[in-house]
Amino acid sequence: MPLIHRKKPTEKPSEEVADDDSQQKPHESSKTHKKSNGGIEKGKWSCIDSCCWFIGCVCVTWWFLLFLYNAMPASFPQYVTERITGPLPDPPGVKLKKEGLKAKHPVVFIPGIVTGGLELWEGKQCADGLFRKRLWGGTFGEVYKRPLCWVEHMSLDNETGLDPAGIRIRAVSGLVAADYFAPGYFVWAVLIANLAHIGYEEKNMYMAAYDWRLSFQNTEVRDQTLSRMKSNIELMVSTNGGKKAVIVPHSMGVLYFLHFMKWVEAPAPMGGGGGPDWCAKHIKAVMNIGGPFLGVPKAVAGLFSAEAKDVAVARAIAPGFLDTDIFRLQTLQHVMRMTRTWDSTMSMIPKGGDTIWGGVDWSPEKGHICCGKKQKSNETRGEADENSSSKIKPANYGRIISFGKEVAEAPPSEIKNIDFRDAVKGQSIPNHTCGDVWTEYHDMGIAGIKAIAEYKVYTADAVIDLLHYVAPKMMARGAAHFSYGVADDLDDPKYKHHKYWSNPLETKLPNAPEMEIYSLYGVGIPTERAYVYKLNQSPDSCIPFQIFTSAHEEEEESCLKAGVYNVDGDETVPVLSAGFMCAKAWRGKTRYNPSGIKTYVREYNHSPPSNLLEGRGTQSGAHVDIMGNFALIEDIMRVAAGGNGSDIGHDQVHSGIFEWSERIDLKL
Amino acid sequence: MPPNPILRLRKIYFSVRNNEDTIIHAAKHKATTEKLKRRRSMRWSCVDSCCWAIGYLCTAWWFVFFLYHSVPVPAMLQAPESPGTRLSRDGVKAFHPVVLVPGVVTGGLQLWEGQPCAEGLFRKRLWGASFTEILTRPLCWLEHLSLDSETGLDPLGIRVRAVPGLVATDYFAPCYFAWAVLIENLAKIGYEGKNLHMASYDWRLSFHNTEVRDQSLSRLKSKIELMYVTNGYKKVVVVPHSMGAIYFLHFLKWVETPTSDGGGGGGGGPGWCAKHIKAIVNIGPAFLGIPKAVSNLLSAEGKDIAYARALAPGFLDSELLKLQTLEHLVRMSHSWDSIVSLLPKGGEAIWGGIDSPVEEGHTCIYSKRKSSQPSLNDLHKQNFSIKPESWVKEPTKYGRIIAFGKRASELPSSQLSNLNVKELSRGGSTSNDSTSCGEFWSEYNELSRESIVKVAENTAYTATTVLDLLRFIAPKMMRRAEAHFSHGIADDLDDPKYGHYKYWSNPLETKLPDAPGMEMYCIYGVGIPTERSYIYKLSTSSGKCKSSIPFRRDGSMDGDDMCLKGGARFADGDGSVPVTSAGFMCAKGWRGKTRFNPSGMDTFVREYKHKPPGSLLESRGAESGAHVDIMGNVGLIEDVLRIAAGASGQEIGGDRVYSDLITMSERISIKL
């Protein structure tokens, strides 16, 4: 560096001479000359100087902008937005405070899968310096810096589904666990802020954070999370003058809380020993947000080939990219291996089998019209029904996985299934180039893969068998914790086992006639419901199946997009899964709801943010963004402040949930 | 972006060739040239140079930064093995659940509801972390952190709450650890969220009010019960720090008091502590209060501020950015009840009277004491009071916690005016002149000049009379706070009045719970000069605005020995808490079966001698004894880990005393 310093002045004079003289050119050629003039001007600096100048410039501008940004009054963005879009409605917190609402019932949040932060408590050498830093949530900086280390730490032991030796990853506790998933990407923060307006604070709000990778019972075994939740709810109820708690679970948290309600009343060794009226004493209402009561088809695709819609689309755009070894990292395979160690993903496999999700030739949502992104809030069910008979082939949603588009559309009589269950798994593996990534596909061999593809069509029942065949180890582990059936006789003593507790079709609700259960979810967004698969021909991929992304209907109204059949929902959970229990199975006194707990279905129609300034919108219906939906927040706050279902307006339905529920023939 | 270097060279060459053709025109274009020159020099202007310089610096910085990160740490600079790793290898495993109780100031506070000026700060930290808000909106910050001066609770429309969880106090400010090192070491032997709990509370409130407003005590009780059950019925080890020690004393009494009694207890029943608590490991406990609190309340001066004032007189008093720094601070800290809990307790019996300090004969040789010096030598010196004649003429009179003027601090008692503060009237007539100093409230405004002078006239105050002084100066605050705290010594502990919660945090007015199996540890640093008594002077009110704090520390008072410096006299301690306060209860007050400790639970005193960090690389040192830094002391961490893993006090080595605590305790005669 000092060399350059010294050099500069010595070079200067000679260049200046040249420079000066060049100025004396006649004026005619000045145009080209000026250019060279500029060049020489800069030439006086060395390249490094120019770089420095450039960096300095950028830095200074950046600082200046940063300064301006910081000096800007906090209300400025709001002001701009209001100028463009007209006055914004008051946030519900402010509005309800004006109405005189006050904090009354303590509120418990139960985050869903993925949104809760996880931090490191003990790690391998490679994770040095990350003690109590977030591995999941926050900025995900470590994913880029040390991807393999990250994958290793986030995985669980694939035998026990618990911690691998020498690694302890634990849920972040407190409201910070899930208020923001990543910087600027809120999950619970908006709801929390609004509740704070009417007087909520840490002592009457509680985030029941848990390690969402574990199976529900294991969170109790390893972390005593359920006991902690029980103790905290008891504490909040007693310190708030005996007012019962309002529970707000989101996504998988819904199932987790179902599990909790059974656990807490079950006797001590397996349960919490709270006695048969614990729920009646401590819980006022359960307000499930976007609850996948009956599972989500996405989970199947996730387990089967680690593909959600987003990945499938990305693959269609840049084929081969995701399969190649980037940074010696076989992205998908690693992700798959990691997610397969997470028992919790198995809690979201579609439940209820063909009874709920439809068989080869029928499905409850039959006749649903997809208008894709163009679906507007004013569209009603009636119109959809009229159109259904016209041009497009109705989607066979019951066939959750079908191999090839033709099969997906063929009439049931033409489908010949060759049973795969007995197919011998070949010992030979198509290729060994996959590196040392462990997935169970290795054990399956060509014969097994062929057998699967030949079966052609899988309904919800068959999908479970399929997963058992494809990933026997994982499913064996999961079968100890989750069940996907429909109970014939709920009084059968076998249903006392904890694996049935998170399946609403195999458990009774607690005996708490004054409790209320709400299903709050968004509608109006195409949601994955069934998939078209193909065999993966690419030689260097380890996952033999992938979504057949070129299976695509051109018509606007078709539900088949990029190998995925869509249905109404909140982008993750189909309406059927989120609403059916509250719309039918728990409505009134049924065998699932012996005490006749009141249930309400409230749907929120999705309307995308009108412009960028609104961020993720205040009327969104998307699975996570709905947590910022003003209408939903208002409903929750009214209930927390003491309201009940009839105060907030009973049911509010935009989709065909009641009609679809009618088609499901379930003993009640 | 710069053009390609080769291209540039070509252009130069080209223009040079052109020169020969155009040389004739030189004269003609002279004027133009000069103009251009000027323009060029303008273009290569100051802004460009600045940009260049900044860019240069940035690049260099990044480069160094990059090097710093990529170059592996040399072996010699690598941190020594942490106690957690070592103990983990030795087979020490997490056993008892651990509850950490933070002290005053170190806990983070966040905003839940605020005035319009605090917009955008929802759930952001006002206290702790980076403190940026002080700089951006100081008055707003002060307003939000102050409590209501009448009730000692939230002001209207403002809710500031403690940050919950381990994040509350692991780092006080970025890189300034409080509990982080201890937590990390605990994690190494297997602790995690389920068996490690941080009992954070709003440290501004009086202890009873934390329960009234936030139910902090109930939550702590429920947490301890839960951890006890979920960890296989293993008792809890509690680790309080600083003020947390007396907060937990309060908790011990509260939890066993029936819910209907007095202000209402926790209703845990008489066996609760015996059932749930294995040991209380008090780190740097302020059991008997700290003299620093007196000077804080009188004039918002810690040692550090007094130094700063001596260096730059007038600076802190001036209206800097419309901010009368000290006055505002006084006003804020006067609204915090918890400060009052730290006032010296036990009066003259503990802290010494006008003439009889308990530390009599204590030598101040701290700054000369080096870590290499053998400790035996020190002990020898102290025990036999071998003082070099040259710099100690007469024993320091520590008993006079506040003395006005150096003379008053040294005179024999007979020559002191024996003014009875209680009888003074607070004349309010002449206070009008101070109202022009701004509209904020501070009770000094109501004091008349005469009474101030009277208070200050050649007087000295002991631990007992200092309370009268405070009552005189800040009657509202003391009235509010004395409903929550008491600073005396009980004559008869069975007196039913001691059922009131205001006595619970004073170890001299409560009995320890009936839990013979419990262990009480006092572990603290020694070897750092700690403020013990002060020399004050009246502040001369110069300028148009009278400073509304009439007293200030006499920063010019430097003794010829090390005991007197910057207007404060120093005794042995950890920089904040003198040895007497931290160690006396464990060394004597609770030792054996005394009336304060009826069940005779074991007590242990463990001192850690302060060793300043050997080099800058060690930052705050692994062997520090300072009040907060001691939480990173490897010896202390090891002791805490061993206790948490199930060891008893005898197993970790029983008592360990470096200071003259024992002789000092001998001199204190209270009924036991």
Side-chain angles (χ1 to χ4, degrees):
Chain A
M1 297 272 173
L3 241 175
I4 298 159
H5 267 304
R6 251 178 278 126
K7 231 181 190 172
K8 218 177 60 185
T10 53
E11 271 179 7
K12 227 176 192 170
S14 66
E15 278 175 6
E16 230 159 75
V17 171
D19 207 24
D20 287 356
D21 292 350
S22 71
Q23 301 298 331
Q24 295 157 13
K25 265 216 97 179
H27 203 66
E28 303 94 70
S29 59
S30 62
K31 249 193 175 172
T32 48
H33 209 75
K34 258 178 192 162
K35 253 186 209 163
S36 69
N37 197 5
I40 291 155
E41 180 84 30
K42 275 179 194 158
K44 162 167 79 129
W45 311 10
S46 73
C47 177
I48 291 172
D49 286 332
S50 310
C51 282
C52 285
W53 177 84
F54 180 69
I55 291 168
C57 246
V58 171
C59 280
V60 170
T61 338
W62 174 246
W63 289 336
F64 183 67
L65 288 178
L66 206 73
F67 172 75
L68 278 186
Y69 177 77
N70 278 329
M72 177 180 76
S75 56
F76 187 70
Q78 201 194 342
Y79 173 75
V80 171
T81 319
E82 281 187 3
R83 283 305 291 271
I84 294 171
T85 61
L88 290 176
D90 267 345
V94 176
K95 183 180 149 200
L96 295 178
K97 193 184 179 189
K98 279 184 200 150
E99 284 182 25
L101 259 64
K102 283 258 170 312
K104 190 171 172 200
H105 296 279
V107 175
V108 177
F109 307 116
I110 301 176
I113 197 169
V114 175
T115 48
L118 300 174
E119 62 189 7
L120 183 78
W121 277 84
E122 185 183 338
K124 301 257 152 133
Q125 201 68 46
C126 68
D128 236 18
L130 292 180
F131 176 69
R132 285 187 54 224
K133 297 270 187 311
R134 285 197 186 194
L135 287 190
W136 189 271
T139 55
F140 283 100
E142 297 312 318
V143 182
Y144 303 108
K145 280 193 217 148
R146 22 195 160 176
L148 286 178
C149 183
W150 184 81
V151 166
E152 185 190 354
H153 281 79
M154 287 299 297
S155 301
L156 294 168
D157 188 282
N158 65 42
E159 295 292 329
T160 60
L162 292 169
D163 288 330
I167 292 176
R168 281 187 292 151
I169 303 266
R170 294 293 180 265
V172 178
S173 64
L175 292 178
V176 283
D179 54 350
Y180 288 93
F181 177 56
Y185 188 85
F186 71 83
V187 182
W188 294 90
V190 178
L191 183 58
I192 292 171
N194 279 296
L195 282 168
H197 272 294
I198 62 166
Y200 279 94
E201 55 191 71
E202 207 86 41
K203 70 173 172 184
N204 43 17
M205 268 196 288
Y206 166 60
M207 177 78 72
Y210 56 98
D211 188 338
W212 44 262
R213 301 171 304 158
L214 300 183
S215 74
F216 302 154
Q217 193 66 13
N218 274 343
T219 61
E220 171 66 12
V221 169
R222 196 192 70 180
D223 299 337
Q224 282 86 41
T225 314
L226 296 171
S227 299
R228 279 142 66 110
M229 194 149 97
K230 173 171 175 259
S231 146
N232 264 305
I233 292 176
E234 283 167 357
L235 171 71
M236 292 211 300
V237 169
S238 73
T239 54
N240 283 285
K243 297 190 195 84
K244 295 185 210 169
V246 171
I247 316 287
V248 188
H250 173 235
S251 184
M252 193 179 79
V254 167
L255 301 176
Y256 190 65
F257 194 72
L258 272 185
H259 186 92
F260 172 80
M261 283 198 289
K262 289 303 280 184
W263 173 87
V264 76
E265 299 199 340
M270 198 190 281
D277 57 349
W278 193 93
C279 291
K281 266 195 220 153
H282 292 93
I283 299 173
K284 173 197 190 307
V286 185
M287 310 197 72
N288 303 295
I289 303 176
F293 284 109
L294 304 175
V296 286
K298 214 180 195 173
V300 175
L303 289 172
F304 193 49
S305 58
E307 291 177 296
K309 186 167 62 178
D310 328 310
V311 175
V313 172
R315 173 173 284 159
I317 293 167
F321 174 74
L322 276 172
D323 299 323
T324 53
D325 282 84
I326 329 166
F327 306 122
R328 281 196 282 156
L329 179 74
Q330 292 168 300
T331 327
L332 266 187
Q333 282 79 1
H334 274 286
V335 170
M336 184 149 180
R337 182 177 155 226
M338 181 171 78
T339 51
R340 280 196 172 189
T341 65
W342 296 348
D343 287 346
S344 61
T345 50
M346 282 180 278
S347 72
M348 312 245 266
I349 292 173
K351 288 164 191 166
D354 294 1
T355 322
I356 300 287
W357 295 95
V360 174
D361 51 345
W362 78 281
S363 69
E365 293 107 327
K366 201 165 195 168
H368 173 71
I369 302 291
C370 301
C371 289
K373 302 228 158 67
K374 293 205 171 154
Q375 180 158 349
K376 283 282 175 285
S377 51
N378 53 7
E379 197 199 346
T380 59
R381 273 299 303 161
E383 287 170 45
D385 271 340
E386 283 162 34
N387 298 343
S388 63
S389 54
S390 58
K391 53 218 165 171
I392 38 160
K393 293 156 270 182
N396 290 312
Y397 289 122
R399 304 169 187 181
I400 288 185
I401 289 182
S402 39
F403 278 89
K405 194 183 163 195
E406 298 73 32
V407 180
E409 288 164 355
S413 53
E414 288 173 20
I415 295 172
K416 286 184 217 104
N417 282 337
I418 299 158
D419 206 345
F420 66 94
R421 291 175 185 90
D422 302 326
V424 184
K425 290 186 180 180
Q427 292 304 307
S428 66
I429 296 160
N431 57 60
H432 283 278
T433 55
C434 298
D436 46 4
V437 179
W438 171 91
T439 76
E440 284 178 305
Y441 287 120
H442 281 266
D443 304 336
M444 213 156 56
I446 297 170
I449 291 168
K450 273 222 179 93
I452 286 169
E454 276 164 8
Y455 188 70
K456 301 294 186 201
V457 166
Y458 296 86
T459 60
D461 275 337
V463 150
I464 291 167
D465 292 331
L466 170 67
L467 288 174
H468 268 291
Y469 183 77
V470 169
K473 272 192 210 162
M474 176 190 74
M475 288 304 282
R477 208 178 61 225
H481 290 285
F482 300 106
S483 163
Y484 313 105
V486 179
D488 286 327
D489 174 15
L490 281 167
D491 294 321
D492 192 327
K494 80 167 179 176
Y495 289 116
K496 286 201 165 65
H497 191 269
H498 65 75
K499 77 174 183 177
Y500 299 105
W501 289 346
S502 61
N503 181 356
L505 298 172
E506 291 178 308
T507 46
K508 292 185 222 173
L509 287 180
N511 181 22
E514 282 169 16
M515 208 167 104
E516 290 172 323
I517 294 184
Y518 296 80
S519 255
L520 318 167
Y521 53 92
V523 292
I525 307 180
T527 307
E528 296 168 51
R529 176 67 171 79
Y531 299 89
V532 179
Y533 264 87
K534 65 169 185 187
L535 278 178
N536 190 356
Q537 310 297 352
S538 124
D540 47 28
S541 170
C542 295
I543 300 177
F545 313 106
Q546 60 175 243
I547 291 175
F548 188 34
T549 43
S550 50
H552 201 79
E553 292 282 346
E554 286 312 313
E555 296 109 280
E556 245 340 292
E557 296 185 349
S558 165
C559 292
L560 181 60
K561 290 272 182 300
V564 178
Y565 282 102
N566 290 314
V567 77
D568 203 1
D570 69 358
E571 201 171 16
T572 301
V573 183
V575 167
L576 192 67
S577 176
F580 174 72
M581 289 315 287
C582 280
K584 191 173 173 200
W586 286 336
R587 206 30 80 93
K589 266 198 188 173
T590 66
R591 66 185 182 120
Y592 295 112
N593 180 9
S595 62
I597 294 172
K598 288 205 185 66
T599 63
Y600 301 94
V601 178
R602 291 186 66 79
E603 295 182 345
Y604 302 87
N605 222 326
H606 176 69
S607 57
S610 50
N611 58 39
L612 274 177
L613 283 168
E614 275 188 38
R616 288 155 68 200
T618 57
Q619 292 173 295
S620 175
H623 191 57
V624 176
D625 293 357
I626 199 174
M627 311 277 274
N629 186 314
F630 279 6
L632 174 125
I633 292 174
E634 194 180 322
D635 286 348
I636 292 176
M637 289 176 69
R638 282 189 190 282
V639 173
N644 58 32
S646 50
D647 290 341
I648 62 169
H650 293 287
D651 293 342
Q652 169 188 315
V653 175
H654 301 287
S655 72
I657 179 67
F658 283 115
E659 189 189 329
W660 296 339
S661 303
E662 280 313 308
R663 288 197 201 129
I664 293 173
D665 178 29
L666 182 74
K667 192 176 95 187
L668 290 177
Chain B
M1 284 302 289
N4 185 324
I6 298 173
L7 253 177
R8 211 168 54 211
L9 277 178
R10 226 185 253 162
K11 274 178 194 160
I12 294 166
Y13 179 57
F14 178 69
S15 55
V16 169
R17 272 220 347 218
N18 277 349
N19 291 346
E20 287 151 25
D21 304 334
T22 54
I23 203 148
I24 324 144
H25 302 284
K28 266 188 197 171
H29 290 274
K30 209 172 183 182
T32 340
T33 317
E34 259 169 22
K35 222 167 107 191
L36 279 167
K37 248 187 186 169
R38 223 177 299 136
R39 240 170 66 199
R40 198 177 56 236
S41 63
M42 263 174 68
R43 239 183 284 158
W44 175 231
S45 65
C46 177
V47 176
D48 287 320
S49 322
C50 282
C51 284
W52 177 82
I54 290 168
Y56 206 76
L57 282 176
C58 280
T59 322
W61 172 248
W62 289 334
F63 184 68
V64 171
F65 204 65
F66 172 76
L67 277 185
Y68 174 78
H69 272 275
S70 56
V71 171
V73 185
M76 55 170 282
L77 289 182
Q78 241 157 19
E81 200 179 29
S82 66
T85 319
R86 187 156 39 83
L87 290 177
S88 165
R89 212 175 335 100
D90 293 350
V92 175
K93 282 267 160 297
F95 191 76
H96 296 282
V98 171
V99 173
L100 311 174
V101 185
V104 75
V105 176
T106 47
L109 299 173
Q110 62 188 9
L111 184 76
W112 278 88
E113 185 184 337
Q115 306 286 354
C117 71
E119 196 173 309
L121 293 179
F122 177 68
R123 287 186 58 221
K124 298 270 187 311
R125 283 198 187 193
L126 289 188
W127 188 272
S130 53
F131 284 101
T132 44
E133 295 312 317
I134 302 184
L135 299 176
T136 52
R137 27 193 156 178
L139 286 177
C140 184
W141 184 83
L142 279 170
E143 186 189 350
H144 281 80
L145 275 178
S146 298
L147 293 167
D148 188 280
S149 62
E150 292 295 326
T151 60
L153 293 168
D154 287 329
L156 200 67
I158 293 175
R159 281 188 290 150
V160 174
R161 296 288 179 268
V163 179
L166 292 177
V167 283
T169 49
D170 53 351
Y171 287 93
F172 176 56
C175 298
Y176 188 84
F177 71 81
W179 292 90
V181 179
L182 183 59
I183 292 171
E184 190 164 352
N185 281 294
L186 281 167
K188 291 227 171 81
I189 63 167
Y191 281 94
E192 58 192 53
K194 69 173 172 184
N195 46 14
L196 183 62
H197 174 66
M198 176 75 76
S200 58
Y201 56 97
D202 188 339
W203 45 263
R204 299 170 304 156
L205 299 183
S206 75
F207 303 155
H208 182 67
N209 277 341
T210 62
E211 170 67 12
V212 170
R213 198 192 70 181
D214 299 337
Q215 282 88 45
S216 300
L217 297 173
S218 299
R219 287 149 76 96
L220 180 55
K221 173 173 176 254
S222 149
K223 258 275 135 43
I224 290 177
E225 284 168 353
L226 172 70
M227 294 211 296
Y228 172 69
V229 172
T230 55
N231 287 285
Y233 301 96
K234 292 185 197 104
K235 292 187 201 171
V236 173
V237 170
V238 183
V239 186
H241 174 236
S242 182
M243 191 179 83
I246 46 180
Y247 185 70
F248 200 74
L249 267 188
H250 185 91
F251 174 82
L252 288 179
K253 285 301 279 187
W254 172 86
V255 75
E256 299 202 337
T257 308
T259 37
S260 54
D261 226 48
W272 195 94
C273 294
K275 188 178 164 199
H276 291 96
I277 298 175
K278 181 215 181 228
I280 302 175
V281 187
N282 301 291
I283 301 176
F287 280 125
L288 301 177
I290 50 178
K292 213 180 197 172
V294 177
S295 91
N296 244 316
L297 286 174
L298 264 184
S299 55
E301 297 176 295
K303 183 169 59 177
D304 327 309
I305 292 182
Y307 280 137
R309 175 171 283 161
L311 287 177
F315 173 75
L316 278 172
D317 299 322
S318 61
E319 292 199 43
L320 192 64
L321 308 169
K322 278 199 282 170
L323 179 75
Q324 292 169 300
T325 328
L326 269 184
E327 282 76 10
H328 276 287
L329 282 177
V330 168
R331 187 179 151 222
M332 184 168 78
S333 59
H334 271 206
S335 74
W336 295 346
D337 286 343
S338 61
I339 306 282
V340 179
S341 76
L342 291 173
L343 288 179
K345 287 166 191 162
E348 291 172 17
I350 300 290
W351 296 95
I354 293 274
D355 286 325
S356 57
V358 282
E359 286 104 336
E360 193 154 19
H362 172 76
T363 53
C364 302
I365 42 171
Y366 307 104
S367 55
K368 299 187 181 163
R369 184 191 289 174
K370 282 283 170 284
S371 53
S372 53
Q373 199 170 339
S375 57
L376 266 176
N377 198 6
D378 286 348
L379 281 171
H380 179 77
K381 265 189 193 169
Q382 281 161 19
N383 287 343
F384 297 94
S385 299
I386 302 173
K387 289 168 274 181
E389 287 292 315
S390 57
W391 43 273
V392 175
K393 287 165 193 128
E394 54 183 305
T396 320
K397 296 202 163 37
Y398 286 120
R400 300 171 187 181
I401 288 190
I402 301 282
F404 283 93
K406 197 183 175 191
R407 233 164 57 82
S409 76
E410 285 165 354
L411 278 176
S413 57
S414 51
Q415 290 172 35
L416 285 172
S417 72
N418 47 351
L419 169 86
N420 195 345
V421 195
K422 280 179 196 162
E423 286 162 14
L424 265 182
S425 68
R426 295 170 52 90
S429 52
T430 49
S431 62
N432 297 342
D433 56 334
S434 62
T435 46
S436 60
C437 297
E439 59 272 74
F440 67 84
W441 169 92
S442 141
E443 284 179 305
Y444 290 121
N445 285 354
E446 296 161 23
L447 281 177
S448 69
R449 189 76 198 164
E450 289 83 55
S451 52
I452 290 171
V453 171
K454 232 180 219 167
V455 161
E457 221 162 53
N458 203 26
T459 44
Y461 296 91
T462 64
T464 314
T465 50
V466 111
L467 289 174
D468 296 330
L469 176 66
L470 283 171
R471 272 181 215 122
F472 172 71
I473 285 168
K476 272 193 208 160
M477 177 195 74
M478 289 303 282
R479 215 177 303 131
R480 196 183 66 226
E482 291 206 311
H484 290 283
F485 298 108
S486 164
H487 301 93
I489 299 182
D491 287 327
D492 175 16
L493 279 166
D494 294 322
D495 192 329
K497 78 166 181 176
Y498 289 115
H500 192 269
Y501 58 78
K502 78 173 184 178
Y503 300 105
W504 291 347
S505 62
N506 182 353
L508 298 172
E509 289 177 310
T510 45
K511 293 185 220 171
L512 287 181
D514 177 28
M518 212 166 99
E519 287 171 331
M520 203 68 166
Y521 294 84
C522 290
I523 59 183
Y524 53 89
V526 291
I528 305 179
T530 306
E531 294 166 53
R532 176 68 172 75
S533 64
Y534 301 93
I535 297 175
Y536 266 73
K537 65 175 182 190
L538 280 177
S539 63
T540 45
S541 48
S542 58
K544 60 175 168 45
C545 181
K546 194 188 88 176
S547 167
S548 41
I549 298 179
F551 313 112
R552 72 167 47 160
R553 260 214 344 247
D554 195 350
S556 64
M557 278 302 157
D558 277 347
D560 32 11
D561 57 70
M562 292 308 298
C563 285
L564 178 60
K565 201 171 181 195
R569 292 187 189 279
F570 294 92
D572 201 0
D574 66 0
S576 291
V577 184
V579 167
T580 331
S581 175
F584 173 73
M585 286 317 288
C586 288
K588 192 174 172 198
W590 289 329
R591 193 46 67 92
K593 264 196 194 183
T594 67
R595 64 187 183 120
F596 299 112
N597 179 11
S599 64
M601 67 175 72
D602 288 336
T603 61
F604 300 95
V605 179
R606 288 185 71 77
E607 294 182 346
Y608 301 87
K609 191 140 6 106
H610 177 66
K611 261 190 217 170
S615 64
L616 271 178
L617 284 168
E618 277 186 46
S619 65
R620 288 162 68 201
E623 288 175 89
S624 172
H627 191 57
V628 175
D629 295 358
I630 199 174
M631 313 258 266
N633 184 312
V634 285
L636 178 137
I637 290 173
E638 190 179 328
D639 285 350
V640 173
L641 293 192
R642 282 191 189 281
I643 295 166
S648 70
Q650 296 305 333
E651 280 161 8
I652 62 166
D655 289 341
R656 190 177 61 189
V657 178
Y658 296 114
S659 68
D660 39 6
L661 173 71
I662 304 297
T663 41
M664 256 169 355
S665 304
E666 286 307 314
R667 242 176 262 143
I668 297 175
S669 64
I670 56 171
K671 199 176 88 186
L672 288 176

